[in-house]
C-alpha cells in the first residue's frame, strides 16, 4: 500500500516545529489532524448524583488541565468556596503553574511531580494524613487507583468530565491511506462516526498496547504499533512505516 495521505486523530499541533510536519515534508505526504474525541464537563445536577462533598477533602489531585478547569467550574456552579488551606498535588509542573488561574501559588499547598503518576504518588505518600479527591474523566488510566491503593492512601476518584466522540460528519475517511490513533476512545469514535467503515487497504496505527488491542477488538487490522525500541515515538514510527511502504 502506498501512503499519500494520513489522518492523525489529535488536534493540530500548535508548535510549528512539530515532528509531524517534518515527517510530511521529508516523505512528500499530507498529514491532516482532527480530534476524534472531546471533553465535556458534567453539569452540577449530574455531579451531585455521585454524592461527593468536596469540602470533606483536604487535598485535590490533578492529572490534567481539564481536571483543573472542571473542578473549579463545578465548585462555582455548586457554590462551593474552596478553602485557602486546600492542598493540591499535580502530576506535572505545568499543571501546578496552571493552577495560578484559580488560586494563589504557594509552595506549602501546591506539590508537583515531573509527569508520571507514580512519582506523584511518592510525593503523596509523604502526606498520608490527607484525604485526597481525584477529579478525572469517566475514562481514565487503570494505574491511578492501583497505585493509590498500593500506597494505602485515603482517596476518592470522582468524575468531573466525560470523554465523548467528536462529530466527524464532515470528514471523508475514505481519502486517507493511514489512520493514527492514541486511545481506545478514538477507535470507538471511528466506529460511531463511520459505522459502514471498511478498512480494505487503509492502514491503521495505534500508540500503546491498550489502543492496539482496541483496534483488533473492533475487528480491524493493526498495521503499525508504537512505541517500539526502534521507534519510541509515533512520529518516528510513521516516518519509518511510510518510507517502507512507499519503497514497494
Amino acid at each position: 500500500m502506498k501512503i499519500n495521505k494520513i489522518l492523525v486523530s489529535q488536534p493540530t499541533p500548535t508548535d510549528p516545529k512539530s515532528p509531524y510536519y517534518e515527517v510530511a515534508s521529508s516523505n512528500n505526504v499530507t498529514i491532516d489532524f482532527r480530534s476524534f474525541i472531546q471533553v465535556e464537563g458534567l453539569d452540577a445536577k449530574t455531579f451531585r448524583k455521585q454524592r461527593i462533598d468536596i469540602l470533606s477533602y483536604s487535598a485535590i489531585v490533578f492529572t490534567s488541565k481539564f481536571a483543573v478547569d472542571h473542578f473549579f467550574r463545578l465548585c462555582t456552579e455548586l457554590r462551593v468556596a474552596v478553602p485557602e488551606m486546600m492542598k493540591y498535588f499535580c502530576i506535572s509542573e505545568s499543571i501546578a503553574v496552571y493552577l495560578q488561574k484559580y488560586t494563589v501559588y504557594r509552595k506549602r499547598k501546591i506539590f508537583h511531580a515531573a509527569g508520571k503518576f507514580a512519582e506523584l504518588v511518592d510525593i503523596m505518600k509523604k502526606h498520608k494524613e490527607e484525604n485526597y479527591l481525584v477529579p478525572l474523566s469517566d475514562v481514565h488510566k487503570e494505574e491511578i487507583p492501583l497505585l493509590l491503593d498500593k500506597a494505602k492512601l485515603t482517596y476518592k476518584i470522582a468524575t468531573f468530565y466525560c470523554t465523548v466522540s467528536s462529530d466527524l460528519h464532515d470528514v471523508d475517511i475514505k481519502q486517507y491511506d493511514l489512520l493514527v490513533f492514541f486511545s481506545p476512545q478514538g477507535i470507538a469514535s471511528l466506529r460511531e462516526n463511520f459505522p459502514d467503515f471498511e478498512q480494505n487497504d487503509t492502514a491503521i496505527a495505534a500508540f500503546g498496547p491498550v489502543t492496539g488491542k482496541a483496534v483488533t477488538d473492533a475487528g480491524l487490522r493493526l498495521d503499525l504499533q508504537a512505541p517500539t525500541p526502534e521507534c519510541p515515538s509515533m512520529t518516528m514510527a510513521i516516518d519509518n512505516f511510510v518510507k517502507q511502504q512507499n519503497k514497494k
Side-chain angles (χ1 to χ4, degrees):
M1 64 182 75
K2 186 173 176 61
I3 308 297
N4 293 306
K5 203 162 186 180
I6 301 169
L7 179 60
V8 176
S9 60
Q10 286 189 330
T12 303
T14 56
D15 183 359
K17 295 183 180 180
S18 168
Y20 281 107
Y21 299 130
E22 175 60 30
V23 171
S25 176
S26 63
N27 291 285
N28 194 29
V29 297
T30 299
I31 300 182
D32 292 336
F33 300 89
R34 183 64 178 270
S35 181
F36 273 48
I37 56 177
Q38 61 189 36
V39 170
E40 291 184 357
L42 265 62
D43 58 30
K45 181 179 179 180
T46 303
F47 178 79
R48 285 193 186 98
K49 294 179 181 178
Q50 299 179 76
R51 301 181 183 275
I52 300 292
D53 178 9
I54 293 174
L55 295 181
S56 69
Y57 297 90
S58 59
I60 313 298
V61 180
F62 289 126
T63 59
S64 71
K65 292 179 181 179
F66 286 124
V68 175
D69 287 336
H70 290 294
F71 171 79
F72 285 100
R73 174 188 59 80
L74 271 172
C75 284
T76 299
E77 291 182 14
L78 296 167
R79 297 182 181 178
V80 172
V82 182
E84 284 294 317
M85 63 191 74
M86 184 72 81
K87 294 181 181 179
Y88 303 97
F89 291 77
C90 306
I91 197 170
S92 68
E93 183 177 8
S94 64
I95 295 174
V97 172
Y98 186 72
L99 266 174
Q100 293 181 81
K101 182 178 178 181
Y102 299 99
T103 187
V104 177
Y105 191 105
R106 292 194 182 97
K107 288 185 178 180
R108 290 184 179 181
K109 74 171 187 177
I110 298 179
F111 309 86
H112 68 82
K116 294 183 179 180
F117 194 74
E119 296 173 351
L120 182 59
V121 170
D122 285 340
I123 296 172
M124 294 166 64
K125 284 161 63 175
K126 299 176 183 177
H127 303 264
K128 283 203 169 185
E129 73 283 0
E130 305 295 345
N131 187 14
Y132 294 96
L133 178 63
V134 190
L136 292 174
S137 167
D138 58 328
V139 179
H140 53 264
K141 292 182 178 179
E142 295 179 358
E143 73 163 353
I144 292 176
L146 291 176
L147 289 172
L148 292 172
D149 286 339
K150 185 177 180 180
K152 297 182 179 179
L153 295 169
T154 302
Y155 74 95
K156 176 70 175 179
I157 289 176
T159 300
F160 277 69
Y161 54 102
C162 293
T163 303
V164 300
S165 298
S166 301
D167 183 354
L168 306 173
H169 73 276
D170 57 325
V171 174
D172 181 6
I173 201 74
K174 295 179 181 178
Q175 70 175 306
Y176 294 101
D177 306 300
L178 174 62
L179 306 177
V180 183
F181 294 96
F182 296 84
S183 71
Q185 293 73 40
I187 303 300
S189 179
L190 172 70
R191 282 306 195 195
E192 184 176 331
N193 279 279
F194 309 102
D196 299 325
F197 173 74
E198 294 183 4
Q199 185 172 1
N200 298 321
D201 291 333
T202 303
I204 291 182
F207 190 84
V210 176
T211 307
K213 184 177 184 299
V215 172
T216 55
D217 286 350
L220 299 169
R221 185 185 67 251
L222 181 60
D223 300 284
L224 175 60
Q225 176 80 68
T228 65
E230 298 77 18
C231 299
S233 70
M234 179 54 85
T235 49
M236 291 177 65
I238 292 173
D239 184 58
N240 186 55
F241 182 77
V242 171
K243 282 181 167 59
Q244 289 180 352
Q245 294 300 315
N246 289 356
K247 281 181 180 179
K248 295 179 181 179

